[in-house]
Amino acid sequence: MIVIHVLTLAQEIGVHRNTIRNWVKTGRISAKPGPGKGLQFTPDDFARLCRDFNLAPEQLKTMARTLPGGDVPPLATPASPLAPRGQDRPGKMVGAVMVVGGGIAGIQAALDLADSGYYVYLVEKSPGIGGKMSQLDKTYPTNDCAM
Amino acid sequence: MDKCIACGLCAQKCPKKVDDDYNAGMSQRKAIYLKYSQTVPLKYAIDGEHCLYTAKGKCRACEKFCPTGAINFTDTGAVVTVNVGAVILAPGYQAFDPSGIAPYGYGRIPDVVTGLEYERLLSASGPNQGHLLRPSDHKEPKRIAWVQCVGSRCTHTGANGYCSTVCCMYAVKQAVVTAEHTHGDGLNQTIFFMDLRSHNKEFERYVESARSNGVRFIRSRPHTILPGKNNIGVRLAYVTEDGGRTEEDFDMAVLSVGLEAPPDALELAHKFGIDLDRYNFARTSSFTPVTTNRDGIYVCGAFQSPKAIPRSVTEASAAATEAAKALLPARGTLAREKTYPPERKTTGEELRLGVFVCSCGINIAGVVDVEAVADYARTLPHVVCVENNLFTCSTDTQVLIAARIEEFNLNRIVVAACTPRTHEPLFQDTLREAGLNAYLLEMANIRNQNAWVHQKDPAFATLKAKDQVRMAVAKVCRDYPLASMSVPVVQKALVIGGGVAGMTAALDLADQGYPTVLVEKSDKLGGAAWHLNTTWKCEDVRAWLGRLISRVDNHPSIQVLKNARLKSVSGSVGNFASDLEVGGNPMNVAYGIAVLATGGAEYQPEEYRFGQDPRVMTHHQFDAELRERAAMVQQAGSAVFIQCVGSREPGRMYCSRVCCTHSVMSAMRLKELNPDMRVFVLYRDMRTYGQREDLYTRARELGVIFIRFDLENKPEVYQEGAALRIKVMDPILGRPLRLEADYLVLASAIVPHDQQELTELFKCGVNPDGFLNEAHPKLRPVDLTVDGLFAAGLCHHPKPLDEAVSQAKAAVSRAGVILAKAAMQLDAIKSEVTAACDGCALCLDVCPYRAIKLEEYGDNGHARRRIVTDKALCKGCGLCEATCPKEGVTVHGFTHDQLKAQVDAVLEALG
């Protein structure tokens, strides 16, 4: 367990200490209050905290106390959380992107990526792409045909 | 799915009819269906929920009749696992369902429809094939009312507090387009609105032209819609601004419904572990507008906040940049190149022409008798196959064209449709896929150059279309295969302007490994953002700006040139070179693309005693005041903001987009400093679009008083003794108010920096207001009209910081498409010098691309001169060919022979 003083964390994130307490209460930060004005984090929760608030884990660790029950784990670079871990291609980044939604935004993102050297999975729930724009008649301000 | 040829037999035989979602439930489709006629992929799909076999276990008619055996009822859904490095969420939005707002009677009164339903009623592929008929009695409506803000800017009856951003403009567009769909007199389009929010590029002029074309605008939110007699038509009850209660009859009412977060937003957020805001839109920061709280997961489009197409497209490109940056080491590991079948040799073959005449829905067919044109085409020489298509650009027609090429062994194609500017690449691709050279194609533009301009004279239009087709046929007979050339790409970038947009673009380019030169004319990076305190999400701009600048300064791949000016530009996309002057010293750079981010400035007002009284200041000045002398500001008894200073008036007919939100933010800050301060905002239309509406609501809760004024009746600012007074007409009280101000803040316009020198160098265009013109306002919002140039930030149009950042990121994505490749294919339409050239050099002066040079050569001991053309620079514009008196230079695809054939063909009609 890692213990960080609530004030330290408030300063690091740049909010009021009560905000931190509220976040703990509402579950936005998962931690256990105590001892004293400290907050207890499991190593996993600590890693998530650093990632969510863009904090430097090494620096934060210097301000933390460690209770029996676990040490601060080294953080994996979170650049591609969905890259397959272990098995088939260990540690290798995947040059593919999934675009969820085949409307005009999804199509444009998919085209740009495919044109710049990435494989794209364009995922659309209906049988055809085009989204809401395909239902429009004309577009403003040029009155061009939306189709 | 591979077997389906989209013949439609299955849908014809299917006995089950279902409401068609695509037409907003206003027409029916079968249980096996195409989503719409141009669907990609063009394959029929079975709607499992309604199919008789999947629901009740019998029928299978489609399976029996399918000629290719494409239907497989044993197929089941499967879970597919894919490995990806990043995810972009673009699930879009859902239209607000107004059935919950009982007083509007949607669902009970047949002639009350939503905006999306009305859109389908207007559409050529809609339930009435583009004939505008109201639902109740299928008669053409004449008096139509639009009710704005249905489901938006409202905090009760299940509606949403934010502004949906797009509805004002879509209502105006629908009102304008309605005029094209109705016949005879008596048309009355009335828009009931609260604030008219036309805050994007060219929107203000669009609204003005709608107004002058008779669209009626009434500032009121109707409280009730009653059914007309026999439940036909509607009666709107509303209160006018002066308090009068009015009822008015209309043939139908359109509810301008807002945009909501997609229905699966919560599920998506849960699955991907991303944060949403209180309205279930994805939460992002102004400084990283497409990045979620989770690395590797990005958002774009209406899921991020309600927005129209250009911003969705811009953000999509921005998200692509973020994903590309994150996966840089893996670029090119999985992508594949498109391959084409080997090209068929057509030389020596007899001419076999295929002519495809497009109806373009009703765009062409509504004016031109396309059947007659098709029949006429059959009589022309060498034509062996003619087709008339509803949309020649649709996927099914591409399949059809390819099939006809094979079936009839066609070797020349004519498409009589719209403009080659937008559609030629599509048809060229179809030809290549069918094994033909892409340049054996001619387009006859019977839409833009015919149906659109001769709407009132169908007989003449049909005659002209025949002429156009005959000309295209004559020319295509003389077309010959051309080979495109490829040029190496300089994989470096030039960014002009060191403001937020320019720095963001430079960083993202450099982060992707492209060496970038950042040119700034002043001695300081940061630009206009230095004047701002916070974004609308209360983020500290100056602290972030400092970090941004230090990243730019320290990036190994960015060369920052301050006090620098561009002196010349040569070359073309992929291969530009420029001379610069940096602090008085000359320098030159080579680059493949350029991002123009020259920024904008605050208009210095001449009105409202600005410059005469120190208490009158602009937003930038007042931000500095709040920053440096907050204690003094706190003492003030009253403050007044005047909106639209220099915007939205003749000479500067655009909305500056940011000032309403800025004033609201500052007004709230004042109330925070001193709750007793009297704060007034004098406005014409409050344009706190999107979730910014919450700020407007909050400001009113805090006691800020908003008073509306008209352009014709602007506030008057005068001095009385030592006091600064403002006189303004209150439209609700109906009498003038006199306010006293300790601070008078003018929300002055954003004006572009003078870009004439730059636009002349790059040969790109600006709009009447001096903002850079994009290649297409909806679909290519960051590309400029010149290939390889991109725009970002205020030089394109006024915009808040988050939008400038996403535009800069989008520019990088668009640039990346060019820079990612070591070589790029050029168009094959290029000039070529013929033997007739005698080196008179007349063409040198006219060439706008400086692609022509003079050279000397020896010919049997005589020194002679002739020109040489640089194929990479040549754009095939044809000026040289037109200038040359002796056919010494020609442009492939537009040779004298080809053009003469066209002219002869058109003169044929005269005998």
Side-chain angles (χ1 to χ4, degrees), chain A residues 78 81-82 93-94 96 98-101 105 112 115-118 126-129 134-135 137-138 140-141 143-144 147, chain B residues 22 33 35-36 38 40 83-88 90 119-120 173 206 295 316-317 324 326 331-332 776 778 813-814 821:
Chain A
L82 290 193
M93 200 176 258
V94 181
M98 175 160 76
V99 177
V100 182
D112 274 7
D115 281 342
S116 19
Y118 298 90
S126 84
I129 60 171
S134 74
Q135 287 178 278
D137 174 43
K138 301 272 174 77
Y140 53 80
N143 289 357
D144 270 353
M147 191 55 74
Chain B
Y22 178 70
Y33 69 111
K35 192 175 162 196
Y36 56 100
Q38 298 99 321
V40 177
N83 288 328
V84 295
V87 176
I88 294 174
E119 202 72 42
R120 296 312 304 150
K173 175 203 72 183
Y206 190 79
D295 281 323
S317 288
R331 186 169 78 198
H776 188 283
K778 287 280 169 193
S813 177
R814 303 296 301 145
K821 298 182 186 73

Side-chain angles (χ1 to χ4, degrees), chain A residues 28 48 51-54 77-85 87-89 92-147, chain B residues 21-22 33 35-36 38-41 45 82-91 93 116 119-120 122-123 166 169-170 173 176-177 180 201-203 206 264 275 294-296 300-301 308-309 312-313 316-317 320 323-324 326-336 776-779 813-814 816-817 820-821:
Chain A
R28 185 162 169 207
R48 227 185 69 199
R51 204 174 53 219
D52 287 358
F53 292 94
N54 212 2
T77 12
S80 58
L82 290 193
R85 294 188 187 111
Q87 313 126 12
D88 46 350
R89 19 174 103 202
K92 199 169 167 195
M93 200 176 258
V94 181
V97 179
M98 175 160 76
V99 177
V100 182
I104 184 65
I107 292 173
Q108 181 68 50
L111 281 175
D112 274 7
L113 283 166
D115 281 342
S116 19
Y118 298 90
Y119 192 86
V120 180
Y121 299 94
L122 181 57
V123 182
E124 161 65 35
K125 65 180 168 193
S126 84
I129 60 171
K132 286 282 192 299
M133 189 174 172
S134 74
Q135 287 178 278
L136 306 183
D137 174 43
K138 301 272 174 77
T139 57
Y140 53 80
T142 50
N143 289 357
D144 270 353
C145 166
M147 191 55 74
Chain B
D21 284 343
Y22 178 70
Y33 69 111
K35 192 175 162 196
Y36 56 100
Q38 298 99 321
T39 313
V40 177
V82 295
N83 288 328
V84 295
V87 176
I88 294 174
L89 298 177
Y93 66 90
L116 197 61
E119 202 72 42
R120 296 312 304 150
L122 291 174
S123 172
V166 302
M169 282 306 290
Y170 83 58
K173 175 203 72 183
V176 168
V177 172
E180 295 170 15
K201 205 170 183 177
E202 303 296 340
F203 288 6
Y206 190 79
D264 43 7
D275 285 348
R294 230 181 121 185
D295 281 323
C300 59
I309 296 163
S312 293
V313 172
S317 288
L327 302 180
L328 188 64
R331 186 169 78 198
T333 52
L334 294 172
R336 296 185 289 255
H776 188 283
K778 287 280 169 193
L779 300 177
S813 177
R814 303 296 301 145
V817 169
K821 298 182 186 73

